[in-house]
Structures are given as structure tokens and as C-alpha cells.
Amino acid sequence: MGKNKQFVEKVTAMEDDFAQWYTDVVKQAELVDYGTVRGTMIIKPYGFSIWENIRDELDRKFKETGHSNVYFPLFIPESMLQKEKDHIEGFAPEVAWVTHGGDEELSERLCVRPTSEVLFGEYYSKNIHSYRDLPMLYNQWSNVVRWEKTTRPFLRSLEFLWQEGHTCHATREDAQEETARMLEIYANVLEYYLAIPVYRGKKTEKEKFAGADYTLTIEALMHDGKALQSGTSHYLGTGFAEAFDIRYLDKGGDQQPVHQTSWGMSTRVMGGLIMVHGDNRGLIVPPRIAPTQAMIVPIAQHKEGVLDKAYDLRDKLKGVARVGIDSSDKMPGWKFNEYEMKGIPVRVEMGPKDIEKDQVVLVRRDTGEKEFVSLDEVEARLPVLLEEVQQGLFDKALNHRNEKTTTATNMEEFKKSLEETSGFIKAMWCGNMECEEKIKDETSATSRCIPFEQENISDSCVCCGKESKELVYWAKAY
Amino acid sequence: MGKNKQFVEKVTAMEDDFAQWYTDVVKQAELVDYGTVRGTMIIKPYGFSIWENIRDELDRKFKETGHSNVYFPLFIPESMLQKEKDHIEGFAPEVAWVTHGGDEELSERLCVRPTSEVLFGEYYSKNIHSYRDLPMLYNQWSNVVRWEKTTRPFLRSLEFLWQEGHTCHATREDAQEETARMLEIYANVLEYYLAIPVYRGKKTEKEKFAGADYTLTIEALMHDGKALQSGTSHYLGTGFAEAFDIRYLDKGGDQQPVHQTSWGMSTRVMGGLIMVHGDNRGLIVPPRIAPTQAMIVPIAQHKEGVLDKAYDLRDKLKGVARVGIDSSDKMPGWKFNEYEMKGIPVRVEMGPKDIEKDQVVLVRRDTGEKEFVSLDEVEARLPVLLEEVQQGLFDKALNHRNEKTTTATNMEEFKKSLEETSGFIKAMWCGNMECEEKIKDETSATSRCIPFEQENISDSCVCCGKESKELVYWAKAY
């Protein structure tokens, strides 16, 4: 395939240097470009169209579950940010500060929102009066800024796009149900649309959101054996309600603090998409989320009738899939490489020989398998094939994750597992933060979650050997 | 209507105090709330759902005309902003500056984007190489910040939401066509969806966008006789291309600067919507853009069968319109007022007597007209009635604007018109900026546009009496 070398050579093999492979794919698949300000990114048309599909699915599910979209301001006065103690401690080191408007120095600094709990808190305190106002179920799509030291496109950037849900409920039970419901929506979007299997669980005290009572999380496994936190849902309890005086009159006529949740998913999942499905030829986009599901590449298109037939095919397939056609004067090999790099799930080839035989060639991006399908059957076959690709990607990712999920009952096993298999390690924990910190210091693995599905692997903590409290999934993480 | 007073009393009559009426409607119709930082706004669920409908229509049209959505960073380094001289002069006085990230003072200040020409310029200079790369048609939906001294929700706020299109073309003709095409999309969205008639034209040199060769604009007339600039489309020429070195290799092998456009529409049009259609009972939302087009209010809903019938009606109408139903235990009069305040185009009443007669009552929000429609016919009637409301709103706004568009041939007439009729004044102009400034100083009216449809009202400039060059529409404006 000498003629196709141009593209292939640009991507470092993931076995050689995973970080460089990631950067190469992000650039070569035309997902992002680097912004001029350190750590910022420009999301290019192809990257943004994938994000739009993810966003639209989430948005549809939020609305189905009764949430309304709103928009809150970008700026938070410093004094307001400080109202919830744990929250400010968690976020203050990484916020950007506006000090001047035009030529004027501001009397109070404004922080560029890293998240908006305090803004919603202030609003709720003024707008919630009685139990009739509850639940209040808001979501916003916005940009946020966190002044990170080390940055990587999608995974950790100074500015990113996300949605943040903020809800108020009359009771703890209602709020906790909401917290679980939204986590399940995230899990569904990852598993069903992005073909990324996730572990669902609770964060430890150490890893929970600054200001939350507890944090639920979904954790996915990347190709290199590292975990990616892919969406979190927080039960905030009444902490912000106390700090911001968010109370409602209950049916009995008493003032009660509301119970709150917040939950977010960001452009970070784009990084997960790349690192779960990508290979050394580039990105692979699961069909359910792919802006273009099948790309028609005419072969020998200068020959009479080829382009006409290819456009007929496009019109025929338009009703069953999102299809594109590339009739540019580039060589077919170039086109193959470009759409492999962009991870378009299926390539449809059609040349003079195929036309003679009334057939097309369907090529799967994930396995490279080719099949010849008669023109009569292609409309029926393509959607089925796309489903096969979707399922194939999920199964492959699930196998990979399961193979890389091992157990350990002591630190020796823990370290051995981490070194030999990497991935998730299931190990019992005493519940003591000191053990958690020690594990991190010694192995750089962190607690990813306390899974909802508990097992009893051993009666003693993997670290200190004392009585174990619960099973934890550990991993090195992004 | 004593029982309905609660709501009505909250809105100042527009004849008494138009500004206060506007503020009252914005609050009472639950469109926005004030943010804590001066001049910022919280867009509440109802306001945001209207904006989402406008946004979705625009977005669909942008995509149909070949544009791709992207996302560029929020921050612009000070040195980059200064690359295009006119542009920085126009925007520097009203930008917010970030000086610190976490605890660190930045080596260079970052401005929070007031608009993103320079960021796109920098990108294009790196990503455009040959004529094959053109046209490059990008759009982004984002927030922008302008440090305004006097602010009002939607009309002028420190932060607002908008879309900004940025395109590059090989030739002046292509870019100028694009500039006109996008203005026509804006005009169509205002006229067809928002039922707001607009004048289309070109801005004078004084009023054009900082950095543009010329600016096209659509101008609408508000209830109080003031104009609102509702969308602008700029032909940037090659100014940014020279400043940022954006060149392409043409077919002949020569380096050429690209010709650029930019164009934007913002949440400002929400203000137009309020001030064109609203009345003393609140907002009126044109059906094509209304989140809820018809609201069912059951009458005497405690009586047996009423609620069941009302829900049956809702299910029946769901397929032909966006219908809501309010079965809360509030009094019908309260509900009437609430949905009148929110401007829901049609109210559907149904009580025991109606059920007996197999009928419903349809009430138009705009005219208050009631009609009794049999249950068999309501599915057919409602969509037609909604179209009638849409057309009625447009016609009413058009009549109002036409009545308030007068002509003047000298300053005396000009001032008299402005005082007696307000609205747009058509008057000839010599093309000299001194006359434009003099008119503004003496009357506070500004040139709104040089309309595409020129007429020759007189041979002399309305201000200096010298030879006239062109017809200009003048008005006091938001």
C-alpha cells in the first residue's frame, strides 16, 4: 500500500508512544487544533459534529426526564464563590480572574466559572418558596474554565464545553433518586451510543466533588489500561442550601432546606471515544454517533457512468443511513486513508467492475472485512452492518476491559497486576483515607469507584490488612 | 376581572413608561432574571426555550447553506487583538481582562472575546493553503462579553449568547454574495418565524463594524417607535487577511489574500420579539417560534369527566401543534393571566358545558377573539388558527412600521416627524459624515441603514442641502 503511506506515516503507533498516538489522531482526524492561549483548543468541524451528536442525545434525554435548559452568567463574584467552604477550597487554585472591565479596575474580582453551583444556589434562594416549586430541574450547556497546569486536547483543557445539571428537591430520597437517574443516563449514552462500557459506582470521600455529600461516577477503560472518569453525578445534600439559604415551605408550613444535585458531562468523553476505539490507522466512530456513517468512494470515477451510479447509490442510501460521497479528484487510496483516519464506520466502494455485476463493496472500518452486496440488497444490508459495527465495537471494548480487570488481595499482587495487566484492579479496602493515599503514593493508582455491584474478594484491606469495608476499583487514570 | 388583578397590576402600561413595561414583561413572563454581576442576565427556562427555537431555525439554515459549526476559545491574548487596527480601536474600550490564572499573574493579559474575528483569522492563516480549501464556511454558537456601561436584559448586556459566522472566499464576489446570503437568512428568520418585518440595507461608514469594508443590517421597529438593529453581516474585504496573513495559492500559482465575511445574530432579537408583539397584558409569541402554541385550560375541572376529556383533547391535538395542559389547582382566571403574560398564542378552554355540546373554546392571545369549535373540527382548525395568528402578528407589525415610516426633506420636517410620529424617517443624505453627526447631535436619531431599495425623495441632503447621494433610514435606536 505504498501509495497510501502519506497518511499512515503521520500517526505514531500506539504501542510505541500512546500519548503521541493520541495527539496524532486528534490532529490528523481533524478533531481539534491548538488554540493560541496555552491549553485551549479549537474544535474543528468534524470534531464538533461528533460532539453535537453526543450533545443532542443527552439533551433529548434530559428533556424527556423533565429538565429545562437555562443559561447562567459566565462570571462569579469572588465573595459569592467563597460562600461554600469546601467548594471554594476545591476550585480556587484553578480559576481565571477578571480584574478589569474596559479601562476600569473592578472593585471586586470576578472568577470565570469553573462550574456554577454557587450561581444556581443564589438563584434558587430567591426563586424557591414552597413545596409547589419543587422539584426544580435545570440544565445548562456552556463553556467553563479551569486553570490546569498540564493540558491535553479534550482530556484536560483550560476551557471546555459541557453541560451542568442543577436540581432542587423537597426530600433526600427525591434528590438521591435524581442523582442515580442522571448517572444512568450518562452510562446509557456511553454504552449505547459511544459503545464504551463503563463501571458505575460511588467516589470515595477523597475523590468526591468539592461540596458534595457524595459523587457517583462512570469509569471507562482506555486502550493503554488507564481509566477515564466519564461523567459524574453529585448528591449535594443540604450544604449549598445552608450556605445560600435555599428553603421551602413544606406542606405542614415549616421551612425546610432543599436537597440538591448537580451532574456534568463534558467534551472529555471525546477523548474517551478516541482512546477506546481508535487504532493505528486513526479514529473509529461508533455508527450511532457518527456524523457520516458510510462514505461512498467511487473507483475509476473518470470512466463513463461511474459517478452517476455512485450518486444514484447515495440517493438510494440516504434514507437508511447518514451517507457521504467523495467525488473529488483525489486518488481512491488517499480517500480510503482519509476516511479511515476519520473513523467513518463503513466505506462503500463502487467501480466499473462492480457496476457490471450490479454490486457494491462494503468495508468495515473496525475489522477491515469486505463484503460484496448486490445493489438490490444494499439498502437492507447497510443498516444491519452498521449495527454489527456498533455491537462489535462495544464487545471489543468490553472484552478489553474485562481482560484488564484483575483482582488483588495484597499490595504485592496489586503492584504485579498493575505492572503486568494495567487496567482496573478490584481490591478490598478498609475505608481509611490513609490506605487510599498510600496506594496512590506507591503505585500512582487511585480509587476510581466503589462499584454498585459489590463482591467480597477478601476480608482484609489490600493495603493495611485490617478488616475490609468494601470493594473498590483502582486504576491509573487520566 | 377583579380576580385576575394579581398579574395585570404587575405590568406598567407601555403608554405610561415603555422602559418599565419592558422590564416588567421580561420579569413577569419569566424570560430572565438579573445576574448578581451588574449587567448580566439569567435566561430562565421559558426564555431559553424560545431562544432554542430561534437558534435551531438559524442553525438549520446555516447547515443547509454549507456551514459547519466549530468552537473557538473564549480568551484572546492582548497582542493578538491588536493586530487589526480598526478592530482593536472599536472593541478595546469594552472588553473584560483576565489577569490571573489561579494564584499566578499572567505574563500577558487575556481578553474575554467580544467577538472572534482575530481568533478565526489566526486559524485561517495556518489552515488555508490553496484555492481547494475555499470557501471555508464556519459558524460558532457561543457567549461573548462586552463591558457596557448601561445595560438592559437581552438588549444590551455584559454577556450575551449569539452565533458568529466567519467565512473565507477566493474572490470578492463570492464573499459579497455570502454577506448578502446570510443577511437574507436573518431577514427570513425575523419575518417568517418571529413575524417581525425588517428593512434591509447597508450601514454608513460611521456605523459599520470595526474592521469591515461594509456592514449589511436588518432593522426592525419597536412599539415605542425606536429601531432595533437585529442582525448584521459584514464583508470584511482583505483587511484581516492582510493583518493575519491569510493567503491561498490560486489556480495560476499566485498567492492571494482571502476575502472574508462575518455575521452575527444574538439573544438581542428576544428583546425585539418582546417590543414588537407585546402588549399591556404581557408577551405575545408568534406561533412558529412558540415553545407552547396552545395551552389547554380545563374549566371546573373538579367536575367529573372534565380532566379526562381535557387530557383526551391534549392527546388529540399533540399531532398538530405544540400543546400544553394546565391541570394544576389554580383558578382558571389565574391560568388565563399566566398564559397571556407568557404570550402563548392560543388558549383552549373546555368545561362541562362545552363537553355537553361537544365543543371547545379557542381564544387568540393577540386579538382576544373567541371561537367555539366542535370537537370533530378542532384538529383541523387549530393549525389554521395558529397560521392566522402568525400572519396577524406580522401584518400588525408591518402596518405599525409603515405608519411610522415617514419622509423628510429638511431638518424642520425631520424633527417634526421624529416628534410627532417617531419611527423611521426616510431622508436623503449627501454621504458626508459631518451631516450624519449633526443629525445625531440635534435629534439623537442615527442612520439605521442605506436601504437596498433606493428612492429619490429629493435632490438635496436633508441636513446640509447640498447634492444628495442616497436615501437613508434614520431613527432613534436601541
Side-chain angles (χ1 to χ4, degrees), chain A residues 33 36 43-45 48 52 63 69-71 73-74 80 93 95 97-100 102 123 127 132 138 143 159, chain B residues 33 36 43-45 48 52 63 69-71 73-74 80 93 95-100 102 123 127 143 159 329:
Chain A
D33 207 344
T36 305
I43 309 181
K44 296 173 75 167
F48 201 83
E52 275 181 319
K63 284 175 178 157
N69 283 337
V70 293
Y71 186 77
L74 176 67
M80 194 196 283
V95 299
W97 294 103
V98 171
T99 56
H100 290 74
Y123 173 90
N127 285 275
R132 289 167 194 270
Y138 285 1
N143 54 343
E159 180 193 4
Chain B
D33 208 345
T36 305
I43 308 181
K44 295 173 75 166
F48 202 83
E52 274 182 318
K63 284 176 178 156
N69 282 338
V70 294
Y71 187 76
L74 177 67
M80 194 196 283
V95 299
W97 293 103
V98 171
T99 57
H100 290 74
Y123 173 91
N127 285 273
N143 55 343
E159 180 192 3
D329 56 7

Side-chain angles (χ1 to χ4, degrees), chain A residues 222-265:
Chain A
M222 305 297 105
H223 251 314
D224 62 345
K226 282 166 85 173
L228 184 75
Q229 175 183 309
S230 305
T232 48
S233 183
H234 318 293
Y235 170 60
L236 300 179
T238 56
F240 285 91
E242 299 292 351
F244 286 88
D245 197 26
I246 315 171
R247 282 170 218 285
Y248 73 97
L249 212 59
D250 69 14
K251 289 185 185 175
D254 291 323
Q255 290 283 345
Q256 302 285 357
V258 300
H259 292 258
Q260 291 184 279
T261 83
S262 70
W263 25 276
M265 184 171 273

